[in-house]
Amino acid sequence: MRGSCRSIAATFAVISSLTVSAVGQVAPQASPTSVDKGGAERLVFLLQYVGSDYAAAVQGGKVIDEAEYRENREFTAMIGEQFARLRPAVPATKLPPLDDAIAKLQALVAAHADAALVRAVTEAAIPRLVEVFDLRSFPRERPDPLEASRLYAENCTPCHGPSGGGDGPRAKELDPPPARFTDPVRMSGTAPYLFYNAITLGVANTAMASFADGLADQQRWDLAFFLWNFVLPPERRIPRGDVVLALRELATRASSDLAPEVVRQAAAQGETIDAAEATVRVAQLRAYPPLLSDPQERLARLRQDLARSLALIDRNDTDAAADVVTTAYLTEFEPLEPEIDRRDSRIRQRFERGLIDFRGALRRNDRTAALATAKALTDTVDRAAELLGEDRGARTASRRLLYGGFTVAAFAIVVLTVWRIGKARAVR
């Protein structure tokens, strides 16, 4: 309960404007008990793998790499089999979109469909599975780049190489060869959640083994984020404090999907950048995750949910757009209202009025008004972040102090590990 006298009446006014279905989605989905989460995690990983890898197999309706295509066909069949095993544990109300997604994916891959269509289907199915099976899709703590550098040198360098190019001492012995983390196109089309699952589960038909027993959960997330170092030029391997994205988004969404929000935030600060530069800044945020307070993290997630609603409006899915923003309000903004009220209640009032206007525009099917209102809501979130945030200059200075010796330390660790590996092989 809030301390302010406006609390009950004002909050009731906002919530009463929401649809019953949206409020119903806020309640957490009970985790199925008849199936272990490992099966759901494997299914998510298979979907991630096909969604990101299929483009290397098919282009323009033609198979350009037969081996890659066979692998994608095999993994698509595994997706169908794994979902069939999990299906009895999925609530009936959640089944239709998942059934449709699995069937559509199989048809698209069999028909050599465009990679963008395949990726869209997998990306729509993954968050539904995460919700249904109550999976954790982002780290509980900020990934530690210094710890990740040590872990990479000890566990990954022998195969993937000191610079992530897939050219480690063991690489020539492996078929298929180890993944390369230096390919900017591939890295911009995926997210750490895929690599976290690869590290956790291993990759079938490759030398990539599971590290679930050898590395703690947080260490696996540390490594998954660290891999974006390898697409950064050396002079860009420094933390930045001018763009804020939530860990959830950094973990689960492709760099290309996050680039528009980075462009928007840069423009709000008077800087014009293109999508390529925005993608580089996303890589920096992953390599050096931001030190965000809980309010800043919540507002970053809310900002990204507003961006997601715009994409849904573009696809004429106005019900989903309304639900995304409503849920984000209740889970992210509403808990911060007492502190926002304490500092400037007009910010809270502006957001709540904007939310009502947004939903009204969607009900009227007024797309122009809905888009304009969503932009105004985003501006209000920015203002709330400024209100609750630390001084940007102080935050940037502290981050640079924390990571000041990172590049030198990381290089030294990797070189030492490669030297040890080479020495051991020479002795044998």
Side-chain angles (χ1 to χ4, degrees), residues 420-428:
R420 286 174 174 170
I421 293 170
K423 183 177 179 181
R425 291 171 67 88
V427 170
R428 289 198 298 270

Side-chain angles (χ1 to χ4, degrees), residues 139-426:
R140 298 180 186 278
E141 300 176 6
R142 179 187 63 83
D144 182 345
L146 288 173
E147 171 71 356
S149 175
R150 180 187 69 80
L151 292 170
Y152 182 88
E154 292 179 357
N155 297 280
C156 312
T157 298
C159 296
H160 297 284
S163 299
D167 55 355
R170 289 192 56 209
K172 292 181 180 180
E173 307 168 10
L174 306 179
D175 183 22
R180 293 185 300 111
F181 309 124
T182 52
D183 181 353
V185 175
R186 178 163 191 241
M187 295 300 283
S188 70
T190 188
Y193 188 25
L194 180 145
F195 292 116
Y196 166 82
N197 277 330
I199 295 165
T200 301
L201 302 170
V203 181
N205 303 322
T206 76
M208 179 63 192
S210 166
F211 283 80
D213 293 333
L215 298 175
D217 184 76
Q218 184 61 40
Q219 289 178 315
R220 283 174 262 146
W221 278 116
D222 292 344
L223 276 173
F225 273 70
F226 175 78
L227 300 178
W228 268 262
N229 263 286
F230 300 125
V231 293
L232 290 171
E235 68 273 13
R236 301 299 296 272
R237 292 175 186 174
I238 56 173
R240 296 184 65 97
D242 54 351
V243 174
V244 176
L245 296 174
L247 272 179
R248 182 191 70 184
E249 311 306 327
L250 287 170
T252 58
R253 301 190 66 194
S255 302
S256 53
D257 294 335
L258 295 173
E261 171 61 15
V262 175
V263 171
R264 187 198 71 79
Q265 289 191 34
Q269 298 170 36
E271 184 183 10
T272 300
I273 63 174
D274 60 15
E277 171 62 18
T279 300
V280 171
R281 295 193 186 185
V282 173
Q284 286 179 298
L285 283 168
R286 287 184 173 138
Y288 306 92
L291 298 164
L292 298 182
S293 64
D294 179 69
Q296 293 290 338
E297 184 76 21
R298 286 180 180 275
L299 292 174
R301 290 195 296 265
L302 175 55
R303 197 181 286 116
Q304 288 302 119
D305 285 335
L306 285 165
R308 189 175 293 114
S309 77
L310 298 182
L312 291 167
I313 292 171
D314 283 339
R315 297 203 296 265
N316 293 318
D317 194 349
T318 55
D319 287 343
D323 290 346
V324 164
V325 176
T326 297
T327 301
Y329 163 73
L330 292 171
T331 58
E332 311 296 358
F333 191 85
E334 205 266 353
L336 300 177
E337 288 187 349
E339 183 60 21
I340 293 174
D341 270 351
R342 189 178 71 80
R343 301 190 185 201
D344 188 345
S345 63
R346 293 171 297 178
I347 301 300
R348 183 263 306 160
Q349 294 165 357
R350 189 185 310 164
F351 189 89
E352 291 182 341
R353 286 196 302 268
L355 177 58
I356 293 171
D357 292 343
F358 176 74
R359 293 186 62 82
L362 291 177
R363 279 194 290 268
R364 298 192 307 272
N365 201 29
D366 187 342
R367 183 175 177 275
T368 301
L371 292 173
T373 307
K375 182 182 183 304
L377 284 169
T378 301
D379 292 342
T380 303
V381 173
D382 289 344
R383 180 69 189 97
E386 293 172 6
L387 197 69
L388 299 177
E390 303 166 353
D391 174 74
R392 187 179 299 277
R395 186 166 64 248
T396 302
S398 65
R399 189 180 293 114
R400 285 181 175 167
L401 178 64
L402 176 65
Y403 296 135
F406 171 74
T407 302
V408 174
F411 182 76
I413 291 171
V414 171
V415 169
L416 180 61
T417 303
V418 173
W419 176 79
R420 286 174 174 170
I421 293 170
K423 183 177 179 181
R425 291 171 67 88

Side-chain angles (χ1 to χ4, degrees), residues 102-125:
I102 302 303
K104 187 174 183 180
L105 176 64
Q106 293 174 328
L108 288 172
V109 172
H112 307 157
D114 184 77
L117 297 176
V118 171
R119 183 181 169 201
V121 171
T122 60
E123 289 189 346

